[in-house]
Amino acid sequence: MTPSSKQPYRAKSHGALNHARTVRFTFDGKPYEGLEGDTLASALLANGVHLMGRSFKYHRPRGVMSAGVEEPSALIGISRDKSNSGARVQPNVRASVQEIYDGMNAVSQNRFPSLNFDLGAVNSLLAPFFAAGFYYKTFMWPRKAWDKVYEPFIRRAAGLGESPTETDPDRYANRFEHCDVLIIGGGAAGLMAAKTAAAKKQRIILCDENPSLGGWLLADSDVTIDGKSGTQWVKDTVAELQANENVRLLTRTTGFGYFQQNMVGLVERVTDHLAQPDMDLPRERMWQVRADKVVIAQGAIERHLVFADNDRPGIVLAGAAQKWLNQFGVTVGNNVGVFTACDTAYAAAFDLYEAGTHIAVIVDQRATVDQALLEQANELGIRVMPNAGVVGVTGKLRINGIKVKTASGSEETIEVDALITSAGWTPSLHLYSQSRGKPIWDEASQRFLPGQSPQACVSIGACNGTNDLATTFAEAAKATGGRAPKLEIENDVSLAGGTIGMASESAETGKAFVDFQNDVTAKDIKLAVREGMHSIEHVKRYTTNGMATDQGKLSNMHGLSIAAKMLDKPVPEVGLTTFRAPYTPTTFGSFVAHARGTLFDPSRKTPIHEWAQENGAEFEPVSLWQRAWYFPRPGEDMHEAVDRECRTVRTSAGVFDASTLGKIEVVGPDAAAFMNIMYTNGWDKLKPGRAKYGIMCREDGFIYDDGVVGKLSDTRFHVTTTTGGAPRVLNHMEDYLQTEFPDMQVWLTSTTEQWATIAVQGPKAREIIQPLVTGADISAEKFPHMSVVECQVCGVPARLFRISFTGELGFEINVPADYGRAVWEAIWERAEPAGACAYGTETMHVLRAEKGYIIVGQDTDGTVTPHDAGLSWAVAKSKPDFVGKRGLQRPDLTASGRRQLVGLKTSDPKKVVQEGAQIVADPEQAIPMKMIGFVTSSYWSGTLERSIAMAVLEDGFARMGETLYIPMEDEVIEVEVEGTVFYDPSGEKING
Amino acid sequence: MLLIHCPYCKDDRPELEFSNAGEAHIVRPTNMSDISDTEFEAMFFMRDNPKGIALERWRHAHGCGRFFNVARNTVSDKFLKVYKAGEPRPSDAEIEELLK
Amino acid sequence: MVEATPTKRIAPAEGFRVANSVVSIETAKPASRISLRATSAGARSFEKSLNFALPRKPAETASAKGRHALWLGPDEWLLIDEANPDDSMVPRLPNKQFSAVDVSHRNMAFIVAGPGAAATLNAACPRNLSLAAFPVKTCSRTVLGKAEIVLYRTARDTFRVECWRSYAPYVRDLLAIASKDAHI
Amino acid sequence: MKKFNVFSLARETMRGHTGWGKQWRNPEPKKQYDVIIVGAGGHGLGTAYYLAREHGIKNIAVLEKGWLGGGNTGRNTTIIRSNYLYDESAGLFDHSLKLWETLSQELNYNVMFSQRGVMMLAHNVHDVQSAQRHINANRLNGVDNEWLTPQQAKEYCPPLNISKDSRYPVMGAALQRRGGVARHDAVAWGYARQASDMGVDIIQNCEVTGINRAPSGEVTGVETTKGTIGAKQVGVVASGHTSILMEMAGVRMPLESFPLQALVSEPVKPIFPCVTMSNAVHAYISQSDKGELVIGGGTDSYVSYSQTGSMHMLQEVLDSIIELYPIFNRLKMLRTWGGVVDVTPDRSPILGKTPVKGLYVNCGWGTGGFKATPGSANVFAHTIAKDEPHKINAGFNLDRFRTGRLIDEAAAAAVAH
Ligand SMILES: Cc1cc2nc3c(=O)[nH]c(=O)nc-3n(C[C@H](O)[C@H](O)[C@H](O)COP(=O)(O)OP(=O)(O)OC[C@H]3O[C@@H](n4cnc5c(N)ncnc54)[C@H](O)[C@@H]3O)c2cc1C
Ligand SMILES: NC(=O)c1ccc[n+]([C@@H]2O[C@H](COP(=O)([O-])OP(=O)(O)OC[C@H]3O[C@@H](n4cnc5c(N)ncnc54)[C@H](O)[C@@H]3O)[C@@H](O)[C@H]2O)c1
Ligand SMILES: Cc1cc2nc3c(=O)[nH]c(=O)nc-3n(C[C@H](O)[C@H](O)[C@H](O)COP(=O)(O)O)c2cc1C
Ligand SMILES: [Zn+2]
């Protein structure tokens, strides 16, 4: 090897990267150079940097372990903004998969003041104290100290990286997609499956989490397929697939979640590897794919070996070392030791040797090693120690030696600058398990393997426990309905063999890590079992094994094996913990995608909204709608504006946008019969041209909705609902119509948005609208209160109601919505000179409260019956049936002492009580007080020059004239109970 | 997201188009006013809530708007049978069969 | 004075248009519309007044002279008349065994066109919009993000997206942002 | 049983933690018990604990089909508060909250109860009215709950977005300072350890498959996957699975079991100091001591026992979280899981006797029963021991669905969790 001065561990002869394309980046502020296509880990390794992070609990120095998503240790933070503003910060990024780009700014995490010297590492000294579950056993005294001392301390110590502190400026996209075959994983297995399916003209999506397709074939320098190198075969196959219009290849795309009925979530990282991403690109793209068939070709993940100090920087997985060498052209050291329990590490060692690295020793746990491997090692002059184990290492921030113990018990320290290890390969069962398939234990190979999934999916290749390429190809082809291809395969290395659990019992003298990130050692697992944690689920939660950001990709099998040995139970009886989505951590942004800001939820606006905006309205959200709340004039606060609006309506007139009211057209020969069922009132006697206030209950007898209903003809009703209630009322009606009364000839149509509804209320209302109305006589005689007529207003077809929610003479004009603004303006043109005003929902509330009209949802909640609300007159007694009739007869709904709607007047007329204030009879009683009601509505009434309120009150109707109390934080307010109608009780005005 | 077959649209549609409408075959008595408190309780509140085959109603709310019934396995969430509102409840024998 | 000014019609998202190399989105011209609910006998009597037969199979549509009938449910059709936007079809029709309700102003429409049209919609619509699953001349009520829409494929690369008027700004903004991703 | 404290910990540290002993025994079932509790969740284990500690009944078995604490106790977002509206609810949940305050000491097990405050956001006038109604009722019931302006809410929870331009601007919040979170697993373990020590047999991997009754109707015991076990009294505390168990005794329940998912982010350094929830923008969030953001939202809409949920429900909850806390958009979901929650028509629990003599039920906690664990267990133990409800749970009877006397927290506009 000829180390370049800048990247001393770059092997010029190896790898697929272009040495001319250098990339500059910084790590903890220090500048480095790497090559285009490097991961942060491979680039740092090329520079001889192994130390990349600190562990969670003990702050142990950690290097990179793996070359993939399974990485538990090398987690770093990336900041994309030059200003380091805190917006584009990404914590907990795996150095092993993050591609470098020019200008990348990476920082280590969970250390202070620096990665090399971390004060938090004192935890390491206390480590024996910090055994599994220690915090359950202490920090309990003194009690208060938990909040003030212990917990803040624990929290500060935890947590790894730092959250962004500003809003994410990046965009995330979403795509729903369908295909015949979805293939997850683009290694040998996935590519062959795609090739076969493509030949059958199926619509295929193939995704792989890596930047390039090929999986392990890219890291294998020796294998040949029909005489081609593995990489060449990948190149040819990918080219063939790319040319096929039925195939969509998605790289940097992780299948993270397998949901019901073959819906799989994929997330594609679009720009994280780019130096200067085009602002039009989304940062990530979520793919929600529904596939007829899913082919899982996830591959296998190499396990580490569990021995003392197996976490020291410089110790890496053998397969990772091979990948770094063959894909990235990086060697992990100059004098490398090998510790293995399977054959694949030999291939890694031989490749390193060939690249010029000295192989200090191969320590093999197995007593018998394949003869061919021994011979090959012998030929290269590499020392092999079978039936031996590494039991410790020297060096803290980077290992410098390994302690090897042989079966005979002799110990030897061998100098190395890196150690590559392998305990064998764990088939990735993540997505198979998420599809609700059960993993099945294979005693012979000591692995869990996929069985039959309840969904339409199949596992192939290394994730299916297949150890060789020829079989992988055969099952891949079969998975997509093809025949096993006839390919000549040479120099394939089998994935078979390995070990789970402790490398050896003598390897446990120090800290032998099972889960690196969460600092779980073999001893912790044993302690958990000793303490009675016999379920693997308890072991997991007590030790936190497998709960870190890598979700136990390396550790789960070891933890399971150690626990099983302690329990003296077979592994499958102890069992795996549950695999859950996401396969690898997935940004919230990719789930949220477009649904931010104005696209979080539709914001519904009426045709008159813009006029209101132009005229200074403040708005109030009501369900999805924005409603004009009040129209302050310059200098007015809300109270003053509402006072003025109220006064104007009562003395002159006001114009109000009521378009958000729900509207349902009920049409058909059985319309009245249907109304009789749905509403508590009777509808038989209502004449066309007349309107009526209706109450709707659910079957339980509580008020569900209300509104005015106009009868347009014998077969047509114009029903209105509350603003928020419109969708559920329509659904409720459809439900009864379709499922209980399917023989009724009646149909329902939502017309909420067909009509703009303009209320003109006040003594001058008629005078204002009269000239605009054609086709109807709206005089007091011909068009009395509670009338409806179809006519024209401003020349456009209209439904004109004479109704009032204010107690004044009033009209509601419905015109087709596109005309809403023009008609409103025409009315306004007459209203303004007449001294009228535009008013909003707040004034509407005050005016209706003065009249004692209820608002469903404010003066009633789901516990108030029509009787409770004083609306018994609207409940037809003679009807044989209506929804709610039976519910209303239940014992508690007919019992005495129910809470009933009443009016309240404060003894001090200036005092406006709080809505939601609670009422008591005896303000002197001790807490808990007996509350007998609460205030539902409360306003200052300018008209009455005093406050008014409504309340639901225990036995309220019987309490007229009683004095009651409202105990607030700083005062007790005295109130008197009375009826709910405060203004114009005789209804003179309304009939004017 | 479930994929639900609508018997009216005769097509598999994503769950986002549907709303669940609770247990099926709870018939509203025609003599509603005469039923006892216990019968009312049974109708309005009590539910089978089975672990196994649930007979339940869905509405193709953002589709054809129709309510219909399904038999679904509440453990696997698989739809085993879809039928129109008004069609008879599957017999116990048929449910046994579906469970297999 | 009042009678003299013709009343102005203001549709939501009027004049909206965005376009890139693969897709264009624009507000459709005003149209008149009827929501028709009917028994099969009612449908027969209703279609006499139209000059073509109502579609009877799920997702089917029928069109003639700027009028379109969309099957939305077993007893529900949406009728769209592009030719006579201000002329409601309702009053001139008999009224038995069906309900014909004018919804001309309730709905509005966007036209999404171009090779990226389906991809644009699929940013927020979970339906399979491949030609095989959603052929030309078919329609469906469905969802686009948090809005309900009626989707009508008028040509291989052209969809009409009907929504309720207050959802128009949401649908418009959603389609606009989705169009940025339509080339994929 | 070895006492847990810093001295025992120090001593054990010296000798490699070899002397701790088991936190609970793993016995085989006896033939007969005085009381059988079905379900070793927090409520079931707690019931056994209080029966033994406060009522002197020690011949108890807790039967668990899986591993103790593996039901909803092991999968909830651990929000604890007591600012409920109705007197009955406030009484029950505040009883519980008071027990939480000393639970670690009582159990000699650090359940990490952290009173960092629970804040419920208001986004419209109706929310504000509802919050005020709660605050006023709570005050007169002796339950703390206070109103915060948007600025105060932001001070209490700095990541909160209170911009007026957001889709659902924050109009204020109700804060219960005594509310907070706890370490869910430790609650189950702490109760199990003490109960086991007092002689309660906790029998795991023992599914109840039948409830046996005498010809005269009363309960005589249960059938299980480990054989028949006799008992005079049986308490069903099986949350999502209650309907199935009660059906074994011929009792139909007003329950539906829905999937509820939760998720955690990758761990980050402390950024979120309290708990917040919002009804209009439906989601809730806190940060665990390990640093993950713990997030939950609404249930799927259909009955399911699968302990998983849908992709779109995850999207819904995260949409809401990001609307309220846009700074978290780049954080990553680490894991998501599901529970099966049993929901009653009025969203309040059922806690009391049943039509079958000797059979008691504790269920219907829906999305919000973790907070009630000690209180519920405590009064349920009383109900079993005395064969009549404690006054705190008297209103939470099964009869209310017949009489119509519901405790409808949901109808009163507060969604419970
Ligand atoms: C995602 C999620 C979030 C939540 N968030 C909160 C929150 O923030 N705050 C809050 O207060 N509450 C929350 N809850 C609700 C809370 O988790 C539950 O109400 C509470 O944990 C119920 O406790 P439990 O002991 O009654 O039930 P569980 O813990 O479920 O225990 C019941 C036990 O019964 C066992 N069992 C069932 N059937 C049988 C049988 N046949 N034989 C033997 N054993 C059986 C089960 O295996 C289980 O272990 C949440 C729930 C979920 C799912
Ligand atoms: N060290 C080695 O020599 C070695 C290691 C493993 C496999 N192999 C060989 O490779 C062949 C098997 O190939 P294979 O295709 O089964 O495995 P593979 O590992 O080559 O390919 C699997 C691919 O799927 C990707 N992947 C995993 N989970 C994913 C997810 N959720 N979303 C997206 N992508 C995901 C992986 O990153 C990888 O690229 C066998 O012949 C085996 O012998 C060799
Ligand atoms: C409050 C809380 C915090 C959790 N934190 C983590 C965590 O940090 N890492 C993790 O892997 N799982 C975490 N979990 C989830 C558990 O791993 C597990 O998913 C959950 O207990 C449900 O069990 P199951 O997935 O085995 O069905 C947490 C669960 C809860 C309830
Ligand atoms: Zn349908």
Side-chain angles (χ1 to χ4, degrees), chain A residues 918 931, chain D residues 79-94 96-97 118 120 130-131 133-145 176 178 277 346-349 365-372 396 407-410 412 414-417:
Chain A
Q918 298 287 330
M931 290 168 255
Chain D
I79 299 175
I80 295 169
R81 62 183 181 90
S82 68
N83 50 354
Y84 283 73
L85 179 64
Y86 289 112
D87 301 350
E88 291 93 335
S89 321
L92 177 57
F93 286 102
D94 210 51
S96 197
L97 185 50
V118 175
M120 302 173 80
S130 167
R133 185 178 169 197
H134 280 72
I135 289 170
N136 286 309
N138 291 151
R139 182 165 40 78
L140 300 189
N141 266 326
V143 174
D144 76 305
N145 196 8
Q176 183 175 33
R178 283 161 68 231
M277 37 206 285
D346 64 358
R347 302 292 190 277
S348 286
W365 295 98
T367 59
F370 177 69
K371 61 178 72 63
F396 295 92
I407 305 170
D408 209 333
E409 291 282 337
V415 178
H417 18 75

Side-chain angles (χ1 to χ4, degrees), chain D residues 1 9 13 22 33 106 145 171 176 185 212 244 260 314 333 353 370 385 398:
Chain D
M1 187 177 61
L9 187 59
T13 300
K22 295 206 182 342
Y33 290 93
E106 165 156 9
N145 196 8
M171 292 179 79
Q176 183 175 33
D185 293 323
N212 297 330
I244 299 146
L260 178 61
L314 296 173
M333 180 196 291
K353 298 172 69 168
F370 177 69
L398 193 48

Side-chain angles (χ1 to χ4, degrees), chain D residues 56 61 64 81 94 119 137 153 163 167 174 186 199-200 257 279 302 311 316 318 329 339 364 394 396 398 401:
Chain D
E64 168 54 53
R81 62 183 181 90
D94 210 51
M119 198 164 82
S163 154
R167 175 65 188 80
V200 173
S257 295
N279 285 337
Y302 48 84
M311 167 81 184
E316 249 173 53
L318 287 172
N329 205 46
F396 295 92
L398 193 48
F401 301 98

